[in-house]
Amino acid sequence: MTDVLGGLAKYLEQRYGYLLRFPDPLPDSNLKARVAKISAEFQSVSSLLPPGLFSELLSMHFVRLAERVRSRFVFSKSSLDYMNALVRRIHEWDWDNSHKAFDAIERFFVYMNFNSKAVMDLMIAKMESQLSLLEKSEDKLLYLMDRLRSFRQLHRKPRICLNPGYWSLDQFIEKWFEAEIAFLRSTTALAGHGVPHPSIKAPLAQQVSLPMQKIRCGLSGDQIAIVLRAADEVRMIESRSLNMVFKTMIPYIATDNRSTLSPSSIRVKSYHPEHRDKSFVIDKLHQMIEKIKDY
């Protein structure tokens, strides 16, 4: 009878587990064993990942998974089930087959709804970089519309998500597309090359103003990136996304070597800071701490 009930429970879990959610945390004994197994399986398939920033971000996620176990981070069964499915799909994925607009690993993140803030920001940074190479507004608009069409045609695995408490990758990327397309349509209309889109209540271009004065910062662009990313992650500053933090703040900052900084390029640099830049920033923060103690 015990074997029969155990088999029935296992079937229900595998077939309808996505409905159960399992909000209760796992016991420590089971948690450590499962995380160790998942980490080992990822190590065996990590060589399949293509080189690049996306793969490095994915690898860092598994590193943090092991660190959270040591810090007694609360895991639910559904979150570990997702990681199991992620590792299994890495082994099965066709890494040589890239879409015309999105690389294989980007399609992988979309399929698995890997809604990490760092991954979503990197996807947008890549498209912004490509968009900056185009000069005409019409070409930029066609680029965005073509990418949006391609994005919507990518496969998705239903009822799966890395972080249920955050925007899905689909929602976040599509909102970015819609905002950029609306902005270009409004600026094109203002220039007399088109008709305003009916969904635009006011010309967005009129809301954009470049700062007349900038604050000169004693840090380099790479070091500024470290500070802003850390401030966002510890919730010292609140914003819809890390992308918005850089877009809002970087235009007002200049360095000793550059008067104009690119929000996209600075944000990308925050993902892989060099050791000397981290040490310099930490030293400056220690100096600030000492100053604050004297106030």
Side-chain angles (χ1 to χ4, degrees), residues 171-241:
Q171 289 176 312
F172 189 86
I173 299 297
E174 286 216 17
K175 288 290 185 183
W176 178 82
F177 273 120
E178 291 169 1
E180 293 295 320
I181 289 172
F183 175 78
L184 281 172
R185 279 177 170 159
S186 66
T187 53
T188 302
L190 289 173
H193 298 300
V195 179
H197 194 271
S199 64
I200 300 176
K201 297 180 180 179
L204 297 181
Q206 294 179 0
Q207 303 173 14
V208 179
S209 59
L210 295 177
M212 298 302 295
Q213 295 182 341
K214 296 188 177 185
I215 297 174
R216 186 165 297 277
C217 182
L219 304 179
S220 67
D222 293 12
Q223 293 158 1
I224 293 171
I226 296 172
V227 173
L228 291 182
R229 178 186 172 187
D232 174 73
E233 292 182 350
V234 302
R235 295 295 184 266
M236 183 184 295
I237 53 179
E238 292 286 344
S239 180
R240 181 172 59 86
S241 66

Coordinates of all heavy atoms in Angstrom, one line a residue, residues 171-241:
Q171 N 7.1 39.8 -20.9 CA 6.5 41.1 -20.5 C 7.5 42.2 -20.6 O 7.3 43.2 -21.1 CB 5.8 41.0 -19.2 CG 4.6 40.2 -19.1 CD 4.1 40.1 -17.7 OE1 4.8 39.8 -16.7 NE2 2.8 40.3 -17.5
F172 N 8.7 41.9 -20.0 CA 9.7 43.0 -19.9 C 10.2 43.4 -21.2 O 10.3 44.6 -21.5 CB 10.8 42.5 -19.0 CG 11.8 43.5 -18.6 CD1 11.6 44.3 -17.5 CD2 13.0 43.7 -19.4 CE1 12.5 45.3 -17.2 CE2 13.9 44.7 -19.0 CZ 13.7 45.5 -17.9
I173 N 10.6 42.4 -22.0 CA 11.2 42.7 -23.4 C 10.1 43.4 -24.3 O 10.4 44.3 -25.0 CB 11.7 41.4 -24.0 CG1 12.9 40.8 -23.2 CG2 12.3 41.8 -25.4 CD1 14.1 41.7 -23.0
E174 N 8.9 42.9 -24.2 CA 7.9 43.4 -25.1 C 7.5 44.9 -24.7 O 7.3 45.7 -25.5 CB 6.6 42.6 -25.0 CG 6.7 41.3 -25.8 CD 5.4 40.9 -26.5 OE1 4.5 41.8 -26.7 OE2 5.3 39.8 -27.0
K175 N 7.5 45.2 -23.4 CA 7.3 46.5 -22.9 C 8.4 47.4 -23.4 O 8.2 48.6 -23.8 CB 7.3 46.6 -21.4 CG 6.1 46.0 -20.8 CD 4.8 46.8 -21.0 CE 3.6 46.3 -20.3 NZ 2.4 47.1 -20.6
W176 N 9.7 46.9 -23.5 CA 10.8 47.7 -24.0 C 10.6 48.0 -25.5 O 10.7 49.2 -25.9 CB 12.1 47.0 -23.8 CG 13.3 47.8 -24.3 CD1 13.9 48.8 -23.8 CD2 13.9 47.6 -25.6 NE1 14.9 49.2 -24.6 CE2 14.9 48.5 -25.7 CE3 13.6 46.7 -26.7 CZ2 15.7 48.6 -26.9 CZ3 14.5 46.7 -27.8 CH2 15.5 47.7 -27.9
F177 N 10.2 47.0 -26.2 CA 9.9 47.2 -27.7 C 8.8 48.2 -27.9 O 9.0 49.1 -28.7 CB 9.5 45.9 -28.3 CG 10.6 45.0 -28.8 CD1 10.8 43.7 -28.3 CD2 11.5 45.4 -29.8 CE1 11.8 42.9 -28.7 CE2 12.5 44.6 -30.2 CZ 12.7 43.4 -29.7
E178 N 7.7 48.1 -27.1 CA 6.6 49.0 -27.3 C 7.0 50.5 -27.0 O 6.6 51.4 -27.7 CB 5.5 48.6 -26.4 CG 4.8 47.2 -26.9 CD 3.9 46.7 -25.8 OE1 3.7 47.3 -24.8 OE2 3.3 45.6 -26.1
A179 N 7.8 50.6 -26.0 CA 8.2 52.0 -25.6 C 9.1 52.6 -26.7 O 9.0 53.8 -27.0 CB 8.9 52.0 -24.2
E180 N 10.1 51.8 -27.2 CA 11.0 52.3 -28.2 C 10.3 52.6 -29.5 O 10.5 53.6 -30.1 CB 12.1 51.3 -28.4 CG 13.0 51.1 -27.2 CD 13.8 52.3 -26.9 OE1 14.3 53.0 -27.9 OE2 14.0 52.6 -25.7
I181 N 9.4 51.7 -29.9 CA 8.6 51.9 -31.1 C 7.7 53.2 -31.0 O 7.6 54.0 -31.9 CB 7.8 50.7 -31.5 CG1 8.7 49.5 -31.9 CG2 6.8 51.0 -32.6 CD1 8.0 48.2 -32.1
A182 N 7.1 53.3 -29.9 CA 6.2 54.5 -29.7 C 7.0 55.8 -29.7 O 6.6 56.8 -30.3 CB 5.5 54.4 -28.3
F183 N 8.2 55.8 -29.1 CA 9.1 57.0 -29.1 C 9.5 57.3 -30.6 O 9.5 58.5 -31.0 CB 10.3 56.7 -28.3 CG 11.3 57.8 -28.3 CD1 11.1 59.0 -27.6 CD2 12.5 57.7 -29.1 CE1 12.0 60.0 -27.6 CE2 13.4 58.8 -29.1 CZ 13.2 59.9 -28.4
L184 N 9.9 56.3 -31.3 CA 10.4 56.6 -32.7 C 9.2 57.1 -33.6 O 9.4 58.0 -34.4 CB 11.0 55.3 -33.3 CG 12.5 55.1 -32.9 CD1 12.9 53.7 -33.3 CD2 13.4 56.1 -33.4
R185 N 8.1 56.5 -33.4 CA 6.9 57.0 -34.1 C 6.6 58.5 -33.8 O 6.2 59.2 -34.7 CB 5.7 56.1 -33.9 CG 5.7 54.8 -34.6 CD 4.5 53.9 -34.3 NE 4.4 52.8 -35.2 CZ 3.8 51.7 -34.9 NH1 3.2 51.5 -33.7 NH2 3.8 50.7 -35.8
S186 N 6.7 58.8 -32.6 CA 6.4 60.2 -32.2 C 7.4 61.2 -32.8 O 7.1 62.3 -33.2 CB 6.3 60.3 -30.7 OG 7.6 60.1 -30.1
T187 N 8.7 60.8 -32.7 CA 9.8 61.7 -33.2 C 9.7 61.8 -34.7 O 9.9 62.9 -35.3 CB 11.2 61.2 -32.8 OG1 11.3 59.8 -33.2 CG2 11.3 61.3 -31.3
T188 N 9.3 60.7 -35.4 CA 9.1 60.7 -36.9 C 8.0 61.6 -37.2 O 8.1 62.4 -38.2 CB 8.9 59.3 -37.4 OG1 10.0 58.5 -37.0 CG2 8.7 59.3 -38.9
A189 N 6.9 61.6 -36.4 CA 5.8 62.4 -36.7 C 6.1 63.9 -36.5 O 5.7 64.8 -37.3 CB 4.6 62.1 -35.8
L190 N 6.9 64.2 -35.5 CA 7.3 65.6 -35.2 C 8.2 66.1 -36.4 O 8.1 67.3 -36.7 CB 8.1 65.7 -33.9 CG 7.2 65.5 -32.6 CD1 8.1 65.4 -31.4 CD2 6.2 66.6 -32.5
A191 N 8.9 65.2 -37.0 CA 9.8 65.7 -38.1 C 9.1 65.8 -39.4 O 9.7 66.2 -40.4 CB 11.0 64.7 -38.2
G192 N 7.8 65.5 -39.4 CA 7.0 65.6 -40.6 C 7.1 64.4 -41.6 O 6.8 64.6 -42.7
H193 N 7.6 63.3 -41.1 CA 7.8 62.1 -41.9 C 6.7 61.1 -41.7 O 6.8 60.0 -42.3 CB 9.2 61.5 -41.7 CG 10.3 62.4 -42.0 ND1 10.5 62.9 -43.3 CD2 11.3 62.9 -41.3 CE1 11.5 63.7 -43.3 NE2 12.0 63.7 -42.1
G194 N 5.7 61.4 -41.0 CA 4.7 60.4 -40.7 C 3.5 60.9 -39.9 O 3.5 62.1 -39.7
V195 N 2.6 60.1 -39.6 CA 1.4 60.5 -38.9 C 1.5 59.9 -37.4 O 1.9 58.8 -37.3 CB 0.1 59.9 -39.5 CG1 -1.2 60.3 -38.7 CG2 0.0 60.4 -41.0
P196 N 1.1 60.7 -36.4 CA 1.3 60.3 -35.1 C 0.4 59.0 -34.8 O -0.7 58.9 -35.3 CB 0.7 61.4 -34.2 CG 0.9 62.6 -35.1 CD 0.7 62.1 -36.5
H197 N 1.0 58.1 -34.1 CA 0.3 56.9 -33.7 C -0.9 57.2 -32.8 O -0.8 58.0 -31.9 CB 1.2 55.9 -33.0 CG 0.7 54.5 -32.9 ND1 -0.1 54.1 -31.9 CD2 0.8 53.4 -33.8 CE1 -0.4 52.8 -32.1 NE2 0.1 52.4 -33.2
P198 N -2.1 56.7 -33.0 CA -3.3 57.1 -32.2 C -3.1 56.7 -30.7 O -3.8 57.3 -29.9 CB -4.4 56.2 -32.8 CG -3.8 55.1 -33.6 CD -2.5 55.7 -34.1
S199 N -2.3 55.8 -30.4 CA -2.2 55.4 -29.0 C -1.3 56.4 -28.2 O -1.2 56.3 -27.0 CB -1.6 54.0 -28.8 OG -0.3 54.0 -29.3
I200 N -0.6 57.3 -28.9 CA 0.3 58.3 -28.2 C -0.4 59.5 -27.9 O -0.9 60.2 -28.7 CB 1.5 58.6 -29.2 CG1 2.3 57.3 -29.5 CG2 2.4 59.6 -28.5 CD1 3.4 57.6 -30.5
K201 N -0.6 59.8 -26.6 CA -1.3 60.9 -26.1 C -0.6 62.2 -26.3 O -1.2 63.3 -26.4 CB -1.8 60.7 -24.7 CG -2.7 59.5 -24.5 CD -3.1 59.3 -23.1 CE -4.0 58.1 -22.9 NZ -4.4 57.9 -21.5
A202 N 0.7 62.2 -26.2 CA 1.6 63.4 -26.3 C 2.9 63.0 -26.9 O 3.4 61.9 -26.7 CB 1.8 64.0 -24.9
P203 N 3.5 63.9 -27.7 CA 4.8 63.6 -28.3 C 5.8 63.4 -27.2 O 6.1 64.2 -26.4 CB 5.1 64.9 -29.1 CG 3.8 65.6 -29.2 CD 3.0 65.3 -28.0
L204 N 6.3 62.1 -27.2 CA 7.3 61.8 -26.2 C 8.6 62.5 -26.3 O 9.3 62.7 -25.3 CB 7.6 60.3 -26.3 CG 6.4 59.3 -26.0 CD1 6.8 57.9 -26.1 CD2 5.8 59.6 -24.6
A205 N 8.9 63.0 -27.5 CA 10.2 63.7 -27.7 C 10.2 65.0 -27.0 O 11.3 65.5 -26.6 CB 10.4 63.9 -29.2
Q206 N 9.0 65.6 -26.7 CA 9.0 66.8 -26.0 C 9.3 66.7 -24.5 O 9.6 67.6 -23.8 CB 7.6 67.5 -26.1 CG 7.3 67.9 -27.6 CD 5.9 68.5 -27.7 OE1 5.2 68.6 -26.7 NE2 5.5 68.9 -28.9
Q207 N 9.2 65.4 -24.0 CA 9.5 65.1 -22.7 C 11.0 64.9 -22.4 O 11.4 64.7 -21.3 CB 8.7 63.9 -22.2 CG 7.2 64.0 -22.4 CD 6.5 62.8 -22.1 OE1 7.1 61.8 -21.5 NE2 5.2 62.7 -22.5
V208 N 11.8 64.8 -23.4 CA 13.2 64.4 -23.3 C 14.0 65.7 -23.3 O 13.9 66.6 -24.2 CB 13.7 63.5 -24.4 CG1 15.2 63.2 -24.3 CG2 12.8 62.3 -24.4
S209 N 14.8 65.9 -22.3 CA 15.7 67.1 -22.3 C 17.1 66.6 -21.8 O 17.2 65.9 -20.9 CB 15.2 68.1 -21.3 OG 15.1 67.6 -20.0
L210 N 18.1 67.1 -22.5 CA 19.5 66.8 -22.2 C 20.0 67.7 -21.1 O 19.7 68.9 -21.0 CB 20.4 66.9 -23.4 CG 20.1 66.0 -24.6 CD1 21.0 66.3 -25.7 CD2 20.3 64.5 -24.1
P211 N 20.7 67.1 -20.1 CA 21.2 68.0 -19.0 C 22.2 69.0 -19.5 O 23.1 68.7 -20.2 CB 21.8 66.9 -18.1 CG 22.2 65.8 -18.9 CD 21.1 65.7 -20.0
M212 N 22.0 70.2 -19.0 CA 22.9 71.3 -19.4 C 24.2 71.2 -18.6 O 25.3 71.6 -19.1 CB 22.3 72.7 -19.2 CG 21.0 72.8 -20.0 SD 21.3 72.7 -21.8 CE 22.4 74.1 -22.1
Q213 N 24.1 70.7 -17.3 CA 25.3 70.6 -16.5 C 25.4 69.2 -16.0 O 24.4 68.5 -15.8 CB 25.2 71.6 -15.3 CG 25.2 73.0 -15.7 CD 25.2 74.0 -14.5 OE1 24.8 73.5 -13.4 NE2 25.6 75.2 -14.7
K214 N 26.7 68.8 -15.8 CA 26.9 67.4 -15.4 C 27.8 67.4 -14.1 O 28.6 68.3 -13.9 CB 27.6 66.6 -16.5 CG 26.8 66.4 -17.7 CD 27.4 65.4 -18.7 CE 26.6 65.2 -19.9 NZ 27.1 64.1 -20.8
I215 N 27.7 66.4 -13.4 CA 28.5 66.2 -12.2 C 29.7 65.4 -12.6 O 29.6 64.3 -13.2 CB 27.7 65.4 -11.1 CG1 26.6 66.3 -10.6 CG2 28.7 65.1 -9.9 CD1 25.7 65.5 -9.6
R216 N 30.9 66.0 -12.3 CA 32.1 65.2 -12.7 C 32.5 64.3 -11.5 O 32.6 64.7 -10.4 CB 33.3 66.2 -12.9 CG 34.6 65.6 -13.4 CD 35.5 66.6 -14.0 NE 35.0 67.3 -15.1 CZ 35.0 66.8 -16.4 NH1 35.6 65.6 -16.6 NH2 34.5 67.5 -17.4
C217 N 32.7 63.0 -11.9 CA 32.9 62.0 -10.9 C 34.4 61.5 -11.0 O 35.0 61.4 -12.1 CB 32.0 60.8 -11.2 SG 32.2 59.4 -10.1
G218 N 35.0 61.3 -9.8 CA 36.4 60.9 -9.8 C 36.6 59.4 -10.1 O 37.7 59.0 -10.1
L219 N 35.5 58.7 -10.4 CA 35.6 57.3 -10.8 C 35.6 57.2 -12.3 O 35.2 58.0 -13.0 CB 34.5 56.5 -10.2 CG 34.2 56.5 -8.7 CD1 33.0 55.7 -8.3 CD2 35.5 56.0 -7.9
S220 N 36.1 56.0 -12.8 CA 36.1 55.7 -14.2 C 34.7 55.2 -14.5 O 33.9 54.9 -13.6 CB 37.1 54.7 -14.6 OG 36.8 53.4 -14.0
G221 N 34.4 55.0 -15.8 CA 33.1 54.5 -16.2 C 32.9 53.1 -15.7 O 31.8 52.8 -15.2
D222 N 33.9 52.2 -15.7 CA 33.8 50.9 -15.1 C 33.5 50.9 -13.6 O 32.7 50.1 -13.1 CB 35.1 50.1 -15.4 CG 35.3 49.9 -16.8 OD1 34.6 50.5 -17.7 OD2 36.2 49.0 -17.2
Q223 N 34.1 51.9 -12.9 CA 33.9 52.0 -11.5 C 32.5 52.5 -11.1 O 31.9 52.1 -10.2 CB 35.0 52.8 -10.9 CG 36.4 52.2 -11.0 CD 37.5 53.1 -10.9 OE1 37.3 54.3 -10.7 NE2 38.8 52.6 -11.0
I224 N 32.0 53.5 -11.9 CA 30.7 54.0 -11.7 C 29.7 52.8 -11.9 O 28.7 52.7 -11.2 CB 30.4 55.1 -12.7 CG1 31.3 56.3 -12.4 CG2 28.9 55.5 -12.7 CD1 31.3 57.4 -13.4
A225 N 29.9 52.0 -12.9 CA 29.0 50.9 -13.2 C 28.9 50.0 -12.0 O 27.8 49.5 -11.6 CB 29.5 50.1 -14.4
I226 N 30.0 49.7 -11.3 CA 30.0 48.9 -10.1 C 29.1 49.5 -9.0 O 28.3 48.8 -8.4 CB 31.4 48.6 -9.6 CG1 32.3 47.9 -10.6 CG2 31.4 47.9 -8.2 CD1 33.8 47.8 -10.3
V227 N 29.3 50.8 -8.8 CA 28.6 51.5 -7.7 C 27.1 51.5 -8.0 O 26.3 51.1 -7.1 CB 29.1 52.9 -7.6 CG1 28.2 53.7 -6.6 CG2 30.5 53.0 -7.1
L228 N 26.7 51.8 -9.2 CA 25.2 51.8 -9.5 C 24.6 50.4 -9.5 O 23.5 50.3 -9.0 CB 25.0 52.4 -10.9 CG 25.4 53.9 -11.0 CD1 25.1 54.4 -12.4 CD2 24.6 54.8 -10.0
R229 N 25.3 49.4 -9.9 CA 24.7 48.1 -9.9 C 24.6 47.6 -8.4 O 23.5 47.1 -8.1 CB 25.6 47.1 -10.6 CG 25.1 45.7 -10.5 CD 26.1 44.7 -11.2 NE 25.7 43.3 -10.9 CZ 26.4 42.2 -11.2 NH1 27.5 42.3 -11.8 NH2 25.9 41.0 -10.9
A230 N 25.6 47.9 -7.6 CA 25.5 47.5 -6.2 C 24.4 48.3 -5.5 O 23.6 47.7 -4.7 CB 26.8 47.7 -5.5
A231 N 24.2 49.6 -5.8 CA 23.2 50.4 -5.2 C 21.8 49.9 -5.5 O 20.9 49.9 -4.7 CB 23.3 51.9 -5.6
D232 N 21.6 49.4 -6.8 CA 20.4 48.8 -7.2 C 20.1 47.5 -6.5 O 19.0 47.3 -6.0 CB 20.4 48.6 -8.7 CG 19.1 47.9 -9.2 OD1 18.1 48.6 -9.2 OD2 19.2 46.7 -9.6
E233 N 21.1 46.7 -6.4 CA 20.9 45.3 -5.8 C 20.7 45.3 -4.3 O 20.0 44.4 -3.8 CB 22.1 44.4 -6.2 CG 22.1 44.1 -7.7 CD 23.3 43.2 -8.0 OE1 24.1 42.9 -7.2 OE2 23.3 42.7 -9.2
V234 N 21.2 46.3 -3.6 CA 20.9 46.4 -2.2 C 19.7 47.3 -1.9 O 19.4 47.6 -0.7 CB 22.2 46.9 -1.4 CG1 23.3 46.0 -1.6 CG2 22.5 48.3 -1.7
R235 N 19.1 47.8 -2.9 CA 17.9 48.6 -2.8 C 18.2 50.0 -2.2 O 17.3 50.6 -1.5 CB 16.8 47.9 -2.1 CG 16.2 46.7 -2.8 CD 15.6 47.1 -4.1 NE 15.0 45.9 -4.8 CZ 15.6 45.2 -5.7 NH1 16.8 45.5 -6.1 NH2 14.9 44.2 -6.3
M236 N 19.4 50.5 -2.4 CA 19.7 51.8 -2.0 C 18.9 52.8 -2.8 O 18.5 53.9 -2.4 CB 21.2 52.1 -2.0 CG 21.6 53.5 -1.5 SD 23.3 53.8 -1.7 CE 24.0 52.6 -0.6
I237 N 18.8 52.4 -4.1 CA 17.9 53.2 -5.0 C 16.9 52.3 -5.6 O 17.1 51.1 -5.8 CB 18.8 53.8 -6.2 CG1 19.7 52.8 -6.9 CG2 19.7 55.0 -5.6 CD1 20.5 53.3 -8.0
E238 N 15.7 52.8 -5.9 CA 14.6 52.0 -6.4 C 14.3 52.4 -7.8 O 14.1 53.6 -8.1 CB 13.4 52.2 -5.5 CG 13.5 51.7 -4.1 CD 13.4 50.1 -4.1 OE1 13.0 49.6 -5.1 OE2 13.8 49.6 -3.0
S239 N 14.2 51.4 -8.7 CA 13.8 51.7 -10.1 C 13.2 50.4 -10.6 O 13.2 49.3 -10.1 CB 15.1 52.0 -10.9 OG 14.7 52.3 -12.2
R240 N 12.5 50.6 -11.8 CA 11.8 49.5 -12.4 C 12.8 48.4 -12.8 O 12.5 47.2 -12.8 CB 11.0 50.0 -13.6 CG 10.3 48.9 -14.4 CD 9.4 49.5 -15.4 NE 10.1 50.3 -16.4 CZ 10.7 49.8 -17.5 NH1 10.6 48.5 -17.7 NH2 11.3 50.6 -18.3
S241 N 14.0 48.8 -13.2 CA 15.0 47.8 -13.6 C 16.4 48.5 -13.5 O 16.5 49.7 -13.4 CB 14.8 47.4 -15.1 OG 15.0 48.5 -15.9

